[in-house]
Amino acid sequence: MLVKWIRCTVVDRRGFERGQRKWAGLLGEPGFRGQGGGWSRSRPDVAHVFAFWESRAFYDSFMARSHDRLATTQAGTFKDGQVKLFDHRFDVKTGFEPRFSDADVARVAHCRIHPDRVEHFALMQEKVWNPAMAGSPGMLRGLFGEGPGNEFLVLSLWESAAEHGKYRAERVERLGLRARTEADVAALTGDVVRLEPSWTV
């Protein structure tokens, strides 16, 4: 599965949201698996969108045919758009599905890893972070994706911001020490996203 992560700063909120609903047109696209997103909890003008495709070939075909027609409705409503693609490497918890209806927030972490630490980082995700996150109350499902240039995405969906906050307060620092995350990570950015039901496709 291919994961597309879009982050942008919105300058016309109403226009952007109206355009976001037009992406319902994705539903008939071959290989399209789902899309959802919402607003950053820390920066209210920043929007995140996550789209899922069966494969790179289906995604490339969509980009060549239908993308621009759907995207025109949002032209001029945002700036600083960043798009990144990741290959799904493994699930966090079990059986990730791109469903957003039962989740209140998404947590996204974008990591750039030192080249000689990539395998260690992936192993620690599997052996240390995954079980801890999977065992946290309120954590629904997630995925670990790999992009070009030693970049990785960890996306998790949570029942509520409060449940994610508890996990963060109680466990993140201890787990980071155990996984020796600091030695692996060259750069790390993240956000907590308040999901908008009307953006779900």
Side-chain angles (χ1 to χ4, degrees), residues 66-80:
S66 315
H67 174 269
D68 291 359
R69 178 173 48 80
L70 289 169
T72 51
T73 57
Q74 279 176 312
T77 64
F78 65 91
K79 60 179 186 177
D80 306 330

Side-chain angles (χ1 to χ4, degrees), residues 170-201:
E170 290 166 11
R171 311 182 81 169
V172 165
E173 196 177 335
R174 186 166 42 85
L175 291 166
L177 289 169
R178 201 170 126 210
R180 301 203 305 280
T181 304
E182 240 172 63
D184 295 345
V185 176
L188 171 66
T189 57
D191 211 345
V192 177
V193 182
R194 183 173 46 81
L195 295 169
E196 287 286 345
S198 64
W199 298 12
T200 299
V201 182

